[in-house]
């Protein structure tokens, strides 16, 4: 479970740190970071080390998508797999150690016309800030088939870490063929009787190591060239209907759980008609992580529809922080 306690514990804090903690927030923030995934925390670490006293507003998904990931094996610096929630917690502690403030809240509105910008939150607070780093990430894409929404929480899930335990000894399906789909399929084999991976193509998009592990796991079966056309059941999932995209034939697969990993949609609601976006809804940034509004930067999956990795998001957060620092220095003259 993520620890968002601002007191890191372990004895009394040094006097200087206690004084810093007691200082009120400035009337105008230097920078507000929106989002608490790897991009947001990396931006917080770098802006805090630059003595900018960043304010990071977590959002309603603490830690973002990586906090829902079981084993992270490809984040630099860890020779053994680390749990996603633990990785996020370490990032938070590091950012706070350098002076970042964390607000457990989510942003409901930003005013990009005002100068300074205005950021409003669900708790009714309003902050003025010289700059913003958007790190709101992306959310799981739904299949959009009959009964999917109705049976969400009753067999349909988008988080194996959250719900896998409830499917012990049951037959389940994982929808998708990328890294996330295979990672979660492998995780689910710890609980499930069997895992059917339904993929619309005849080849996977996941990395070679994950493919090999999944193909060697006796609990995993692949349903190739198939798409889900319906989730079935009254009060809970009892099957899914899949259609072969080559033959057109439909088949009902008896499963009690459906875990969906078919991509993500950018969490861009705050920025509609305020910042430039591409045709898929991702924020458009230049190589310096600058958006279409000077003083607003973006990092991570809110602007990255290609790489979508924790490590690349962290790097983008670093870049946004460094450019934000330069921007603020220019404002100060």
């Amino acid at each position: 479970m993520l620890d968002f306690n601002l007191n890191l514990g372990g004895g009394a804090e040094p006097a200087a740190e206690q004084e810093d903690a007691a200082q009120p927030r400035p009337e105008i923030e230097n920078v507000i970071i929106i989002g608490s995934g790897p991009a947001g925390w990396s931006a917080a670490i770098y802006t805090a080390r630059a003595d900018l006293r960043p304010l990071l507003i977590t959002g309603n998904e603490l830690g973002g998508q990586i906090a829902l990931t079981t084993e992270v094996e490809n984040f630099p610096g860890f020779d053994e797999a680390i749990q996603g929630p633990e990785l996020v917690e370490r990032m938070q502690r590091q950012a706070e150690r350098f002076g970042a403030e964390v607000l457990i809240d989510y942003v409901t509105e930003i005013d990009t016309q005002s100068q300074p910008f205005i950021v409003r939150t669900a708790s009714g607070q309003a902050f003025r800030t010289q700059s913003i780093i958007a790190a709101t990430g992306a959310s799981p894409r739904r299949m959009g088939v009959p009964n999917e929404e109705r049976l969400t929480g009753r067999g349909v899930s988008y988080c194996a870490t959250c719900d896998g335990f409830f499917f012990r000894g049951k037959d389940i399906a994982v929808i998708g063929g990328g890294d996330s789909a295979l990672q979660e399929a492998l995780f689910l084999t710890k609980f499930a009787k069997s895992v059917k991976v339904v993929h619309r193509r005849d080849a996977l998009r996941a990395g070679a190591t994950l493919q090999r592990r999944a193909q060697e796991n006796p609990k995993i079966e692949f349903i190739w060239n198939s798409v889900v056309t319906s989730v079935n059941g009254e009060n809970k999932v009892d099957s899914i209907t899949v259609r072969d995209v080559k033959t057109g034939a439909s088949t009902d697969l008896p499963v009690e759980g459906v875990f969906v990993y078919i991509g993500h949609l950018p969490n861009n609601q705050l920025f509609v008609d305020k910042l430039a976006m591409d045709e898929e809804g991702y924020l458009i940034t230049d190589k310096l992580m600058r958006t279409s509004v000077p003083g607003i930067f973006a990092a991570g999956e809110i602007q990255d529809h290609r790489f979508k990795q924790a490590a690349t998001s962290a790097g983008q957060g670093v870049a946004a922080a460094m450019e934000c620092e330069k921007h603020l220095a220019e404002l100060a003259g």
Side-chain angles (χ1 to χ4, degrees):
M1 184 174 181
L2 298 186
D3 177 11
F4 280 85
N5 186 349
L6 298 185
N7 181 1
L8 301 183
E13 298 176 354
E17 292 186 9
Q18 289 179 339
E19 290 176 2
D20 287 344
Q23 291 180 2
R25 295 303 305 174
E27 182 179 345
I28 299 175
E29 304 287 341
N30 289 314
V31 55
I32 289 179
I33 300 164
I34 307 174
S36 56
W41 290 122
S42 295
I45 291 166
Y46 270 70
T47 51
R49 291 189 75 246
D51 292 328
L52 296 178
R53 295 191 66 198
L55 174 62
L56 183 146
I57 304 176
T58 60
N60 56 10
E61 293 182 1
L62 302 183
Q65 292 300 306
I66 198 169
L68 305 178
T69 302
T70 49
E71 293 186 347
V72 180
E73 297 182 309
N74 54 4
F75 196 85
F78 297 92
D79 58 346
E80 295 183 359
I82 182 172
Q83 296 292 306
E86 181 184 354
L87 178 60
V88 171
E89 186 177 352
R90 290 190 184 192
M91 291 177 179
Q92 178 202 345
R93 291 202 302 265
Q94 188 176 4
E96 289 180 331
R97 181 163 65 90
F98 292 120
E101 181 172 339
V102 178
L103 176 62
I104 304 175
D105 203 345
Y106 65 92
V107 176
T108 56
E109 181 185 0
I110 62 170
D111 185 345
T112 60
Q113 300 300 313
S114 299
Q115 192 54 253
F117 305 118
I118 300 175
V119 174
R120 295 185 174 87
T121 72
S123 65
Q125 299 186 74
F127 300 92
R128 294 195 295 162
T129 181
Q130 298 280 18
S131 62
I132 293 172
I133 296 177
T136 51
S139 294
R141 185 187 298 272
R142 294 176 180 265
M143 296 182 291
V145 301
N147 302 317
E148 177 184 10
E149 184 173 353
R150 181 175 64 83
L151 293 174
T152 294
R154 299 180 179 183
V156 176
S157 175
Y158 306 88
C159 177
T161 309
C162 310
D163 301 326
F165 175 82
F166 300 108
F167 294 88
R168 188 178 298 276
K170 300 182 184 298
D171 297 310
I172 62 175
V174 169
I175 316 304
D179 285 350
S180 295
L182 292 200
Q183 284 172 345
E184 302 312 323
L186 286 164
F187 170 73
L188 288 165
T189 60
K190 298 177 181 180
F191 307 103
K193 178 181 177 182
S194 70
V195 179
K196 294 178 172 61
V197 176
V198 181
H199 186 42
R200 66 183 305 122
R201 299 180 179 85
D202 59 3
L204 299 166
R205 294 178 288 108
T209 299
L210 279 173
Q211 289 194 42
R212 184 179 67 254
R213 289 181 184 174
Q215 290 165 347
E216 291 175 352
N217 192 302
K219 285 190 176 182
I220 294 178
E221 175 188 357
F222 290 92
I223 310 297
W224 302 107
N225 300 309
S226 297
V227 294
V228 177
T229 57
S230 177
V231 179
N232 309 313
E234 289 300 322
N235 297 316
K236 63 182 183 64
V237 173
D238 57 37
S239 70
I240 57 174
T241 302
V242 299
R243 177 175 56 83
D244 188 304
V245 297
K246 290 189 173 181
T247 68
S250 290
T251 305
D252 285 347
L253 299 178
V255 295
E256 295 184 62
V258 184
F259 291 81
V260 183
Y261 298 96
I262 56 173
H264 292 81
L265 295 172
N267 297 322
N268 62 12
Q269 298 89 342
L270 290 173
F271 315 114
V272 174
D273 297 328
K274 296 177 180 179
L275 301 178
M277 303 178 185
D278 65 16
E279 63 278 2
E280 297 180 64
Y282 291 88
L283 296 186
I284 296 174
T285 58
D286 62 13
K287 292 182 179 180
L288 302 181
M289 316 313 293
R290 298 178 297 195
T291 69
S292 56
V293 174
I296 301 182
F297 304 82
E301 291 188 22
I302 185 59
Q303 57 82 52
D304 175 15
H305 53 78
R306 183 175 181 87
F307 299 108
K308 296 181 176 296
Q309 298 296 306
T312 53
S313 290
Q316 291 156 4
V318 170
M322 294 177 70
E323 291 304 316
C324 180
E325 180 186 358
K326 292 179 181 178
H327 171 76
L328 292 172
E330 292 172 358
L331 286 182

